[in-house]
Each structure stands twice: as structure tokens, then as C-alpha cells.
Amino acid sequence: MKIDKIEVQHVKMPLVSPFKTSFGELLEKDFLIIKIYSGEHIGYGESVALPDPTYSEETTGTVIYMLNEFLIPLLLKDEITHPDEVTKRFAPIRRNNMAKAALEGAIWDLYSKQQGISLSKALGGVQTSIDVGVSIGIEPTTDMLLTKVERFLNEGYKKIKVKIKPGYDLEPLAKIRQTFGYDIPLMADANSAYTLADIERIKELDPLKLMMIEQPLAYDDIIDHSILQSELATPICLDESIHSVEDARKAIELGSCKIINIKIGRVGGLTEAKKIHDVCKKHDIPVWCGGMLEGGIGRAHNIAITSLPAFTIAGDTSASNRYWKKDIICPEVTLSTPGKIEVPKGAGIGFDLNETVINQHLISKKVYAN
Ligand code: OSB
Ligand code: MG
């Protein structure tokens, strides 16, 4: 794969409505688009980091720095023949997984375009359409929350995930159960807002029969989660705590979770995501694909990885209109049938870029020639 040049575009797009979690509120997303040029093909990647280091330590700013100072020079140093080599090339650089994944994702797209196959196929995907869910932030009132739940249920979403935090947990979730019943697929995401001292309060959620509770305890913990899981009927799903296949193996061995949320950015790319998928499949741990309020390129990568066989639970990859007035890809991501997204069959990610939308939101652009 001879790389001719790499382009990094920085864009900032407003969300259709604010998104609030236990760690803060987002009104817009600024992110990076990566374009890797090789002959007649261009591979697309997206940095999923948030503007502030509140979900993880990475930010759009740290990603720009890491790309510029370390990762792009390393990638351009010698030619690679397969995307798996990118993970190895980046291994001496500690963490900075979202920065690594942005480049690695573009290389995977480029590689599958050169092979003339879909990214899903290149990754070993088997599902031709995927089940999807939606993540709902902390809403100003319970009524507004119920309105959103109703809207997304009507759109057929197969998993309703609600953000919770201490003081906003049992009440809104119980209201959803009272209103829509126990048959709707409901889960909660705490984004590390609790500690083991809250164990009694967390156990009060058990009667609500949630599909799972995501990352209740510290963002870097797998020990306390194993204690909590041993006392909790509701399955724990880890998000923030899992950065690698080794983290996943240890969490499974300790019994820290029964489900794992795989985010390509958080784990450093598609190669590592696939490895985590494989270890989970071996241990009968279901996985689903998490989201980072991605633009269309990130969304397309999520769709491709979700086509792997152990992704048996609906992920957070909603349609483009969940977050964007106009997405950066064409066509936009839509539900093919209620609660389902079709996996594109075209080469690579299977979407073109909407350069008009990108240019409307462009802050800066940098080109690295090889
Ligand atoms: O914890 O899953 C999370 C968004 C930003 C950071 C962390 C998370 C989320 C979401 C939104 O829940 C998922 C999405 O719809 O993209
Ligand atoms: Mg989460």
C-alpha cells in the first residue's frame, strides 16, 4: 500500500439536540476526518475523541498532536501490506487509542477498496443487516425522557439506553417500565458515576430487569466491578474499562462483566476490536458496538464491525438523523427496516463523503505528503 498523502480535516458540527451524561453536556462535536490517498483510492477514517477529556483522557486536541508528532510520521516511514501491521507499528506508543484508530480505520478502508471488497467482508463480517439501538442522554424532565423513548421505540430501535447518575436513576427507569412495560429492551449507562459504597442503591435496579447496566463503577476499574457483579442480578457491561483484548480477557476471568461494549476508537482500531470480539465469542460473552456520537465515517466503521458474528446485541449506532441535521456521508445512514441498518456491499466503508457538508463545518486542514 503505497501512501501518496494523508489529509487531516478538523470539523465542528452542532448536534440536533444537546447530549448530557454523568460527565457533562455536549452541544456540538468537533472531530477529525482522515483521508489516506493511494493511487486511485482514498481510505477514510474518523477520530471519535470528544472535545474534553471527560470520557477518556483523549481529546480532539491530543489526537491532532499525536497524529502530527508521532503517528503519521510512523505510518509514512515504511510501506505496509496489511492493516494488521498498523497496530504493530503503533505498539511502542502508549495508549492514545483514538488517535491510532483514526489512522488505522482509514487504512482498513483503503485496503478493502484496493481489494474491491466491503470493509465488512475484509473484517470477516457475516451479518448483512444489523440490529441497532439508541442512547438517550440525561433529559431535563422525566416527561421529555418519556417522549424521546416513545419516539425511538416508534422508529423500531431494538435497544433503548438511558444515561443515569446518582439521583437520576431508579425514578426515570421505573417510569419508563411503568409507561412502556417490561418487554421493551431497556438498559442504563452510568459512565462511572457510582462507587461500591452505592451497592445497595444499584441493587435496587434489579427488579427493573434491565438488559444490563453499563460501566457503573470507576472508568479504570475491573476489580470492584467483579464484586458488584457477584451481588447483582442485572448483567454488567463494561465500556470505559476495556482498552485491549488483554483487558477483556482479564475482566472475563475475574467475572467483572457479562457483556462487553466494543468501541473501535477506545480500543485502538478495528484489528484490536476484532480480537476482543474473538475472545468474547470464545467465552460466550455477547458484545455490541458502542458509539461516540460519530459522524458518518465513524458510523460506517461501526456498521462494518457490527457485522461480525458475536455482535448479538443491538449497538448504539443509530441513523445519521439521531445526531445530525446533515451527515458528512452520502447516502446518510438510515434504518432499512425498523431497528435495522443494512451493511453496505460496496467497496470499503460503502459510503461517499459529502464534501459540501464537510466544507460548511471545516475549521482547518493539514496535508502530509509522502
Ligand atoms: O458511554 O457510551 C457512552 C457518547 C459519548 C461518550 C460516551 C458514550 C456515549 C453514548 C452515545 O452513549 C452513543 C452514541 O449514540 O453514539
Ligand atoms: Mg458507555
Side-chain angles (χ1 to χ4, degrees):
M1 256 186 247
K2 193 188 168 316
I3 298 174
D4 302 323
K5 64 169 178 169
I6 300 180
E7 230 174 79
V8 179
Q9 289 174 306
H10 186 181
V11 296
K12 189 187 269 195
M13 300 211 301
L15 299 172
V16 290
S17 60
F19 188 78
K20 192 171 170 189
T21 65
S22 60
F23 60 74
E25 188 173 35
L26 273 177
L27 303 172
E28 57 188 9
K29 177 117 195 261
D30 79 315
F31 60 95
L32 307 174
I33 295 169
I34 313 290
K35 297 176 177 168
I36 302 186
Y37 293 76
S38 175
E40 56 183 313
H41 299 292
I42 311 173
Y44 301 127
E46 180 177 321
S47 161
V48 303
L50 301 182
D52 303 309
T54 44
Y55 164 78
S56 75
E57 67 277 22
E58 290 187 270
T59 68
T60 308
T62 69
V63 172
I64 293 172
Y65 178 81
M66 290 306 296
L67 291 176
N68 190 58
E69 298 291 318
F70 300 104
L71 298 173
I72 290 179
L74 255 183
L75 186 62
L76 293 177
K77 210 166 155 206
D78 296 296
E79 207 171 315
I80 56 150
T81 52
H82 188 277
D84 286 347
E85 293 160 32
V86 179
T87 314
K88 291 198 193 93
R89 180 83 55 92
F90 290 164
I93 310 262
R94 296 289 177 247
R95 301 181 194 261
N96 291 284
N97 283 349
M98 294 177 185
K100 292 173 179 171
L103 283 178
E104 195 245 20
I107 291 287
W108 266 106
D109 181 34
L110 179 61
Y111 171 79
S112 31
K113 283 169 176 162
Q114 287 177 342
Q115 303 293 312
I117 57 175
S118 68
L119 179 57
S120 160
K121 182 152 188 220
L123 291 167
V126 293
Q127 313 191 56
T128 54
S129 67
I130 57 165
D131 284 351
V132 291
V134 68
S135 173
I136 305 178
I138 293 170
E139 295 295 314
T141 67
T142 308
D143 277 348
M144 288 168 85
L145 173 66
L146 294 175
T147 304
K148 282 211 167 156
V149 172
E150 184 171 25
R151 173 188 147 199
F152 292 130
L153 284 174
N154 285 338
E155 292 178 28
Y157 281 106
K158 293 183 191 289
K159 179 169 61 86
I160 301 290
K161 160 166 142 181
V162 175
K163 294 288 186 179
I164 57 166
K165 62 176 184 179
Y168 179 91
D169 39 26
L170 186 60
E171 195 253 31
L173 290 167
K175 257 290 176 28
I176 294 175
R177 281 295 189 219
Q178 279 162 25
T179 313
F180 303 102
Y182 279 73
D183 288 340
I184 67 155
L186 180 66
M187 66 166 290
D189 185 0
N191 287 108
S192 305
Y194 299 85
T195 71
L196 269 189
D198 301 309
I199 193 158
E200 291 311 317
R201 174 184 207 136
I202 300 170
K203 279 161 77 173
E204 283 183 74
L205 301 177
D206 272 341
L208 291 174
K209 307 266 186 236
L210 301 175
M211 297 167 81
M212 69 195 93
I213 174 164
E214 185 178 345
Q215 197 73 32
L217 308 178
Y219 71 93
D220 55 356
D221 169 79
I222 54 171
I223 306 291
D224 285 357
H225 279 101
S226 78
I227 297 169
L228 178 63
Q229 183 67 90
S230 70
E231 296 203 27
L232 200 66
T234 308
I236 290 176
C237 169
L238 289 177
D239 173 354
E240 281 91 329
S241 295
I242 306 296
H243 299 99
S244 63
V245 65
E246 277 299 281
D247 285 348
R249 177 185 65 77
K250 291 169 192 169
I252 295 168
E253 273 179 29
L254 282 173
S256 315
C257 62
K258 292 180 180 164
I259 299 168
I260 289 181
N261 158 337
I262 296 179
K263 288 183 184 169
I264 301 162
R266 194 192 68 226
V267 306
L270 287 159
T271 296
E272 194 71 14
K274 199 165 137 57
K275 283 188 189 158
I276 296 174
H277 162 274
D278 294 348
V279 82
C280 288
K281 188 161 184 288
K282 194 170 117 199
H283 290 92
D284 278 329
I285 297 284
V287 300
W288 54 276
C289 183
M292 290 292 291
L293 313 164
E294 286 91 349
I297 299 172
R299 234 156 259 283
H301 282 89
N302 288 347
I303 294 168
I305 194 76
T306 305
S307 68
L308 271 65
F311 283 84
T312 52
I313 299 175
D316 277 350
T317 309
S318 43
S320 295
N321 70 0
R322 158 77 184 96
Y323 291 114
W324 314 117
K325 201 163 161 215
K326 200 99 187 67
D327 203 344
I328 56 167
I329 50 167
C330 45
E332 299 198 359
V333 175
T334 52
L335 301 185
S336 49
T337 55
K340 282 193 171 272
I341 292 175
E342 201 117 334
V343 179
K345 294 191 180 64
I349 61 170
F351 294 89
D352 289 324
L353 297 201
N354 188 331
E355 299 290 349
T356 312
V357 174
I358 293 173
N359 284 323
Q360 266 164 10
H361 301 286
L362 192 64
I363 297 174
S364 64
K365 179 172 120 171
K366 188 157 177 179
V367 181
Y368 300 82
N370 202 3

